[in-house]
Each structure stands twice: as C-alpha cells, then as structure tokens.
Amino acid sequence: MPQDEKSGAVFARRLGRGVLWGVLILAAITGVRSWVVPAKPPAPAPSKVEAAPSYPEAEAQAVASRFARAYLTWDEKKASERAALLASVLPAGADAAMGWDGRGRQEVVAVQPGQVTPGKSGQARVRVDVLARTAEAPSTKQPAQPARWVGLDVPVVETAGRVIVTGRPGLVGIPVTGPKAPDTPIAQTDPELSTRTEASVGKFFAAYAAGDVESVTAPGATVPGLPDGITYEGLTSWSVDAGSGRDRTGTAVVTWTLSGATVEQVYRVELTQVSSADAQRWQVADVRGGSL
C-alpha cells in the first residue's frame, strides 16, 4: 500500500529541481567556460614615455655663428672690441682672448652655420663655414689677401636655459669640389611649340629685366620683376618639354649683364594657353631659377 511522502521531502525535492534548473539557465547565459577559466584582469594602461627634448640646434647654430664672426675678426688696434663680443657667448670669467696673440688684422665677410653634432651632457659640436679676408697690418708688414672659406668646429653646451661656447674651436678644411652629381634624365622636347613660343618668352625676359611683366604674363599670374641694374642681353636657348594640354613647361637659358659682367643663367618657365575672341596665344604663368 503506497505511503504518502512527507511534506518536507516533497519540498526538498522540488527545491533541488529548482536549483538545478537555475544553474542550467545561468550557465546558458554566462557560459560554462567563464566558470572554469576565470576572466583575465584588465591590462594596465601603457605608461606614457616622455620623449627626450631635442637639442636646440637653431640656438646652437646662432650662438656658434656669433662666436665664429667675433673669433675670426681681429684688429691689433681693437682687441677690446673683439673680447667684448666673445664674452657674450662664453662662460663667465672665460679668457676672451681665446688664444689670439693680439697681432694682425682679419675681417669676416660671411658666416654660414652647418651641422650640429650633439654629444653627452648637453654638449655639441657646431660646424660653421666662414668667409674671411686678411687685411693689411703695417705693424707686422702683413699684406692684404683675398677672401677664402675656412671651416670652424665650435664646441657648445646647453646649460641654464642657454647655449654657450665652452672653449677654443678648431679650424678645419673645406672640400675643394663637391661630389659627383647623379645622372638626371634628359627631358624630351616639343620642337614645334618651342619655335612658336620663343618670341613670347624672349619678350617676357626683356620685360622681366625692366621690372614690368604685367603685360607679358598670363591673367592672374604674379611674377615680380628684377631690380634695377640688370640688362637683358638675349635668349640663348629655349625648349618646351614634350607633353600636351594648355599648361606646359620649358627651359630657358638667358644672358644678362650686371655689374660690368655678362652671365648666362637657367630658368624653368611655365606657360599657359590664353584664348581671346580672335586668337590663342601662350603666355608666361610663372618662372623660377635653375633647371628643376
């Protein structure tokens, strides 16, 4: 004869089934794998690496240039002027004579700063090219000499927010010639268009020397004329690059006279085709020196 289950047993069985179904539903929602393999903690954000400040090359070049001009300029009658100029870029208390014996005369015509080579602890070496000329010095019977280029390696250091010269520089040589230039492709030309536009280009360069090019340039073009003292002698050669379209480019070799000398120079000339009611013509839109 079947016996009735006690109410406690029924409750326990129903509770167990409810728990089991709850576990199955939760597993379906969250995924069983997340129970077995714990989630990885979030990776820490990468720390920002502060970039080291670059060396103040522009300031180093400026200081080295000032130093080079003062250092290579000397006059036995104006030693104090040289010392004062040097002191402004030297450490406090430094010897402003910088190895000069106080004799002779030399003047600097031009200074050109070059490469900056940083070293350790804020130090660097600055290359400066100097065009210097030896002047006559009667006390030492020193004759005047033509100007010549010489290189100067100047030691500098960045300190206290400034760049200063740390000590005596060294004279270095300058190559007599540059390296061999790479071969460049020879552009194909358009002989027919070169012939048709030669007179217009010659007229442009004549106006270019006269300082008034508005009437011989294309509408909207802005080409400043040359200054006074330059005379147009002629168009030595003119050739238009092969191509098509209403905008073309060519190479002009022009002869000028200035300061008593005659020189040939090369220009790249941009042409544009301009249309009017009764004709079409080519006019200069832009001009730049050199062959590129």
Side-chain angles (χ1 to χ4, degrees):
M1 181 175 178
Q3 298 179 354
D4 293 335
E5 292 182 318
K6 296 181 178 180
S7 60
V10 174
F11 176 76
R13 186 167 62 251
R14 290 177 177 174
L15 178 62
R17 289 175 180 173
V19 171
L20 177 60
W21 279 109
V23 171
L24 292 175
I25 293 172
L26 183 62
I29 296 174
T30 62
V32 176
R33 187 175 182 277
S34 65
W35 295 11
V36 180
V37 182
K40 294 182 179 179
S47 58
K48 293 183 179 180
V49 179
E50 295 293 337
S54 59
Y55 199 84
E57 292 190 1
E59 183 181 359
Q61 289 176 321
V63 169
S65 297
R66 287 172 53 197
F67 171 84
R69 180 177 290 277
Y71 177 79
L72 290 178
T73 298
W74 52 68
D75 187 332
E76 54 194 22
K77 296 181 179 180
K78 300 178 181 179
S80 60
E81 291 185 13
R82 177 178 181 272
L85 293 172
L86 289 173
S88 66
V89 292
L90 291 173
D95 176 18
M98 297 295 286
W100 177 47
D101 67 356
R103 298 192 301 168
R105 289 181 63 202
Q106 179 169 273
E107 57 187 19
V108 170
V109 179
V111 172
Q112 178 62 53
Q115 183 177 3
V116 178
T117 306
K120 297 179 180 179
S121 303
Q123 299 178 82
R125 182 180 68 254
V126 184
R127 171 62 179 268
V128 182
D129 290 342
V130 181
L131 183 62
R133 178 169 51 215
T134 301
E136 183 180 356
S139 63
T140 59
K141 298 181 180 181
Q142 168 189 289
Q145 295 180 2
R148 75 270 187 204
W149 284 102
V150 63
L152 196 67
D153 279 345
V154 181
V156 299
V157 67
E158 181 188 15
T159 181
R162 286 186 56 192
V163 174
I164 58 174
V165 177
T166 57
R168 298 179 187 178
L171 293 173
V172 292
I174 293 179
V176 178
T177 63
K180 185 179 182 298
D183 294 332
T184 55
I186 299 175
Q188 298 296 316
T189 62
D190 184 334
E192 190 272 335
L193 185 58
S194 300
T195 301
R196 282 200 291 127
T197 57
E198 184 173 2
S200 297
V201 172
K203 185 178 180 180
F204 163 79
F205 279 107
Y208 194 42
D212 181 15
V213 296
E214 185 175 354
S215 62
V216 291
T217 52
T222 303
V223 182
L226 295 176
D228 294 339
I230 301 174
T231 303
Y232 174 66
E233 295 296 333
L235 188 64
T236 306
S237 67
W238 164 248
S239 61
V240 180
D241 298 349
S244 59
R246 300 174 62 88
D247 297 310
R248 304 290 290 275
T249 303
T251 301
V253 178
V254 181
T255 303
W256 308 107
T257 297
L258 65 157
S259 299
T262 299
V263 294
E264 282 187 350
Q265 296 183 338
V266 178
Y267 294 87
R268 289 288 280 170
V269 181
E270 294 181 12
L271 298 176
T272 189
Q273 193 173 39
V274 179
S275 300
S276 60
D278 55 352
Q280 291 183 338
R281 64 189 184 280
W282 291 90
Q283 288 189 310
V284 174
D286 195 15
V287 61
R288 57 186 182 275
S291 57
L292 296 178

